[in-house]
PDB file of all heavy atoms in Angstrom:
ATOM      1  N   ARG A 138      -6.110  -1.842  15.144  1.00  0.00           N
ATOM      2  CA  ARG A 138      -5.111  -2.720  14.650  1.00  0.00           C
ATOM      3  C   ARG A 138      -3.723  -2.116  14.711  1.00  0.00           C
ATOM      4  O   ARG A 138      -2.887  -2.261  13.766  1.00  0.00           O
ATOM      5  CB  ARG A 138      -5.401  -3.163  13.232  1.00  0.00           C
ATOM      6  CG  ARG A 138      -6.755  -3.832  12.981  1.00  0.00           C
ATOM      7  CD  ARG A 138      -6.878  -5.277  13.416  1.00  0.00           C
ATOM      8  NE  ARG A 138      -6.774  -6.353  12.544  1.00  0.00           N
ATOM      9  CZ  ARG A 138      -7.520  -6.676  11.542  1.00  0.00           C
ATOM     10  NH1 ARG A 138      -8.419  -5.799  11.041  1.00  0.00           N
ATOM     11  NH2 ARG A 138      -7.354  -7.764  10.871  1.00  0.00           N
ATOM     12  N   TRP A 139      -3.446  -1.513  15.825  1.00  0.00           N
ATOM     13  CA  TRP A 139      -2.039  -1.051  16.109  1.00  0.00           C
ATOM     14  C   TRP A 139      -1.491  -1.880  17.191  1.00  0.00           C
ATOM     15  O   TRP A 139      -2.198  -2.330  18.119  1.00  0.00           O
ATOM     16  CB  TRP A 139      -2.087   0.383  16.600  1.00  0.00           C
ATOM     17  CG  TRP A 139      -2.352   1.454  15.541  1.00  0.00           C
ATOM     18  CD1 TRP A 139      -3.521   1.506  14.799  1.00  0.00           C
ATOM     19  CD2 TRP A 139      -1.536   2.500  15.144  1.00  0.00           C
ATOM     20  NE1 TRP A 139      -3.408   2.593  13.934  1.00  0.00           N
ATOM     21  CE2 TRP A 139      -2.228   3.230  14.202  1.00  0.00           C
ATOM     22  CE3 TRP A 139      -0.291   2.944  15.577  1.00  0.00           C
ATOM     23  CZ2 TRP A 139      -1.688   4.350  13.559  1.00  0.00           C
ATOM     24  CZ3 TRP A 139       0.234   4.035  14.949  1.00  0.00           C
ATOM     25  CH2 TRP A 139      -0.422   4.781  13.963  1.00  0.00           C
ATOM     26  N   ARG A 140      -0.172  -2.095  17.192  1.00  0.00           N
ATOM     27  CA  ARG A 140       0.432  -2.862  18.266  1.00  0.00           C
ATOM     28  C   ARG A 140       1.414  -2.003  19.098  1.00  0.00           C
ATOM     29  O   ARG A 140       2.145  -1.145  18.458  1.00  0.00           O
ATOM     30  CB  ARG A 140       1.132  -4.121  17.759  1.00  0.00           C
ATOM     31  CG  ARG A 140       2.304  -3.873  16.862  1.00  0.00           C
ATOM     32  CD  ARG A 140       2.954  -5.192  16.372  1.00  0.00           C
ATOM     33  NE  ARG A 140       4.064  -4.903  15.530  1.00  0.00           N
ATOM     34  CZ  ARG A 140       5.283  -4.951  15.974  1.00  0.00           C
ATOM     35  NH1 ARG A 140       5.589  -5.317  17.282  1.00  0.00           N
ATOM     36  NH2 ARG A 140       6.322  -4.685  15.221  1.00  0.00           N
ATOM     37  N   PRO A 141       1.419  -2.212  20.380  1.00  0.00           N
ATOM     38  CA  PRO A 141       2.337  -1.453  21.258  1.00  0.00           C
ATOM     39  C   PRO A 141       3.743  -1.949  21.118  1.00  0.00           C
ATOM     40  O   PRO A 141       3.943  -3.147  20.957  1.00  0.00           O
ATOM     41  CB  PRO A 141       1.810  -1.671  22.656  1.00  0.00           C
ATOM     42  CG  PRO A 141       0.953  -2.914  22.615  1.00  0.00           C
ATOM     43  CD  PRO A 141       0.493  -3.102  21.138  1.00  0.00           C
ATOM     44  N   LEU A 142       4.713  -1.044  21.103  1.00  0.00           N
ATOM     45  CA  LEU A 142       6.099  -1.355  21.007  1.00  0.00           C
ATOM     46  C   LEU A 142       6.831  -1.079  22.305  1.00  0.00           C
ATOM     47  O   LEU A 142       7.638  -1.966  22.744  1.00  0.00           O
ATOM     48  CB  LEU A 142       6.792  -0.615  19.853  1.00  0.00           C
ATOM     49  CG  LEU A 142       6.182  -0.838  18.473  1.00  0.00           C
ATOM     50  CD1 LEU A 142       6.818   0.046  17.424  1.00  0.00           C
ATOM     51  CD2 LEU A 142       6.254  -2.279  18.076  1.00  0.00           C
ATOM     52  N   GLU A 143       6.718   0.092  22.864  1.00  0.00           N
ATOM     53  CA  GLU A 143       7.404   0.429  24.122  1.00  0.00           C
ATOM     54  C   GLU A 143       6.830   1.696  24.739  1.00  0.00           C
ATOM     55  O   GLU A 143       6.370   2.561  24.035  1.00  0.00           O
ATOM     56  CB  GLU A 143       8.893   0.609  23.887  1.00  0.00           C
ATOM     57  CG  GLU A 143       9.294   1.877  23.052  1.00  0.00           C
ATOM     58  CD  GLU A 143      10.758   2.088  22.873  1.00  0.00           C
ATOM     59  OE1 GLU A 143      11.525   2.012  23.917  1.00  0.00           O
ATOM     60  OE2 GLU A 143      11.216   2.309  21.782  1.00  0.00           O
ATOM     61  N   GLU A 144       6.888   1.788  26.040  1.00  0.00           N
ATOM     62  CA  GLU A 144       6.524   2.986  26.763  1.00  0.00           C
ATOM     63  C   GLU A 144       7.628   3.984  26.729  1.00  0.00           C
ATOM     64  O   GLU A 144       8.776   3.619  26.902  1.00  0.00           O
ATOM     65  CB  GLU A 144       6.135   2.687  28.215  1.00  0.00           C
ATOM     66  CG  GLU A 144       4.810   1.887  28.326  1.00  0.00           C
ATOM     67  CD  GLU A 144       4.400   1.741  29.780  1.00  0.00           C
ATOM     68  OE1 GLU A 144       4.568   2.740  30.565  1.00  0.00           O
ATOM     69  OE2 GLU A 144       3.894   0.673  30.136  1.00  0.00           O
ATOM     70  N   VAL A 145       7.248   5.243  26.476  1.00  0.00           N
ATOM     71  CA  VAL A 145       8.177   6.327  26.462  1.00  0.00           C
ATOM     72  C   VAL A 145       7.549   7.568  27.102  1.00  0.00           C
ATOM     73  O   VAL A 145       6.351   7.595  27.269  1.00  0.00           O
ATOM     74  CB  VAL A 145       8.627   6.739  24.991  1.00  0.00           C
ATOM     75  CG1 VAL A 145       9.402   5.559  24.356  1.00  0.00           C
ATOM     76  CG2 VAL A 145       7.423   7.089  24.124  1.00  0.00           C
ATOM     77  N   THR A 146       8.390   8.516  27.543  1.00  0.00           N
ATOM     78  CA  THR A 146       7.909   9.781  28.075  1.00  0.00           C
ATOM     79  C   THR A 146       8.311  10.847  27.105  1.00  0.00           C
ATOM     80  O   THR A 146       9.473  11.007  26.724  1.00  0.00           O
ATOM     81  CB  THR A 146       8.434  10.039  29.509  1.00  0.00           C
ATOM     82  OG1 THR A 146       8.041   8.954  30.314  1.00  0.00           O
ATOM     83  CG2 THR A 146       7.909  11.390  30.033  1.00  0.00           C
ATOM     84  N   ILE A 147       7.328  11.606  26.696  1.00  0.00           N
ATOM     85  CA  ILE A 147       7.514  12.683  25.710  1.00  0.00           C
ATOM     86  C   ILE A 147       6.963  13.996  26.326  1.00  0.00           C
ATOM     87  O   ILE A 147       5.751  13.998  26.683  1.00  0.00           O
ATOM     88  CB  ILE A 147       6.905  12.411  24.350  1.00  0.00           C
ATOM     89  CG1 ILE A 147       7.546  11.160  23.786  1.00  0.00           C
ATOM     90  CG2 ILE A 147       7.090  13.575  23.325  1.00  0.00           C
ATOM     91  CD1 ILE A 147       6.888  10.682  22.545  1.00  0.00           C
ATOM     92  N   HIS A 148       7.731  15.049  26.450  1.00  0.00           N
ATOM     93  CA  HIS A 148       7.337  16.321  27.018  1.00  0.00           C
ATOM     94  C   HIS A 148       6.692  16.079  28.369  1.00  0.00           C
ATOM     95  O   HIS A 148       5.685  16.691  28.758  1.00  0.00           O
ATOM     96  CB  HIS A 148       6.357  17.030  26.092  1.00  0.00           C
ATOM     97  CG  HIS A 148       6.868  17.358  24.720  1.00  0.00           C
ATOM     98  ND1 HIS A 148       7.880  18.278  24.493  1.00  0.00           N
ATOM     99  CD2 HIS A 148       6.566  16.826  23.507  1.00  0.00           C
ATOM    100  CE1 HIS A 148       8.154  18.307  23.237  1.00  0.00           C
ATOM    101  NE2 HIS A 148       7.404  17.438  22.619  1.00  0.00           N
ATOM    102  N   GLY A 149       7.316  15.132  29.187  1.00  0.00           N
ATOM    103  CA  GLY A 149       6.810  14.858  30.510  1.00  0.00           C
ATOM    104  C   GLY A 149       5.535  14.067  30.595  1.00  0.00           C
ATOM    105  O   GLY A 149       5.005  13.910  31.645  1.00  0.00           O
ATOM    106  N   THR A 150       5.031  13.566  29.462  1.00  0.00           N
ATOM    107  CA  THR A 150       3.807  12.851  29.407  1.00  0.00           C
ATOM    108  C   THR A 150       4.000  11.373  28.983  1.00  0.00           C
ATOM    109  O   THR A 150       4.677  11.200  27.905  1.00  0.00           O
ATOM    110  CB  THR A 150       2.792  13.561  28.455  1.00  0.00           C
ATOM    111  OG1 THR A 150       2.650  14.902  28.856  1.00  0.00           O
ATOM    112  CG2 THR A 150       1.456  12.869  28.428  1.00  0.00           C
ATOM    113  N   PRO A 151       3.451  10.389  29.668  1.00  0.00           N
ATOM    114  CA  PRO A 151       3.645   9.001  29.281  1.00  0.00           C
ATOM    115  C   PRO A 151       2.924   8.734  27.952  1.00  0.00           C
ATOM    116  O   PRO A 151       1.815   9.088  27.721  1.00  0.00           O
ATOM    117  CB  PRO A 151       2.985   8.176  30.375  1.00  0.00           C
ATOM    118  CG  PRO A 151       2.714   9.094  31.466  1.00  0.00           C
ATOM    119  CD  PRO A 151       2.731  10.522  30.918  1.00  0.00           C
ATOM    120  N   HIS A 152       3.646   8.032  27.120  1.00  0.00           N
ATOM    121  CA  HIS A 152       3.188   7.626  25.768  1.00  0.00           C
ATOM    122  C   HIS A 152       3.505   6.180  25.489  1.00  0.00           C
ATOM    123  O   HIS A 152       4.403   5.648  26.180  1.00  0.00           O
ATOM    124  CB  HIS A 152       3.754   8.445  24.631  1.00  0.00           C
ATOM    125  CG  HIS A 152       3.302   9.818  24.516  1.00  0.00           C
ATOM    126  ND1 HIS A 152       3.610  10.815  25.476  1.00  0.00           N
ATOM    127  CD2 HIS A 152       2.526  10.430  23.563  1.00  0.00           C
ATOM    128  CE1 HIS A 152       3.057  11.976  25.069  1.00  0.00           C
ATOM    129  NE2 HIS A 152       2.412  11.735  23.927  1.00  0.00           N
ATOM    130  N   MET A 153       2.809   5.589  24.531  1.00  0.00           N
ATOM    131  CA  MET A 153       3.189   4.267  24.043  1.00  0.00           C
ATOM    132  C   MET A 153       3.569   4.391  22.591  1.00  0.00           C
ATOM    133  O   MET A 153       2.816   5.013  21.786  1.00  0.00           O
ATOM    134  CB  MET A 153       1.978   3.273  24.176  1.00  0.00           C
ATOM    135  CG  MET A 153       2.240   1.888  23.619  1.00  0.00           C
ATOM    136  SD  MET A 153       3.433   0.956  24.592  1.00  0.00           S
ATOM    137  CE  MET A 153       2.531   0.635  26.073  1.00  0.00           C
TER     138      MET A 153
END
Side-chain angles (χ1 to χ4, degrees):
R138 305 281 262 302
W139 288 61
R140 67 182 180 97
L142 301 175
E143 67 176 314
E144 287 188 39
V145 295
T146 299
I147 301 172
H148 302 290
T150 304
H152 286 71
M153 179 67 71

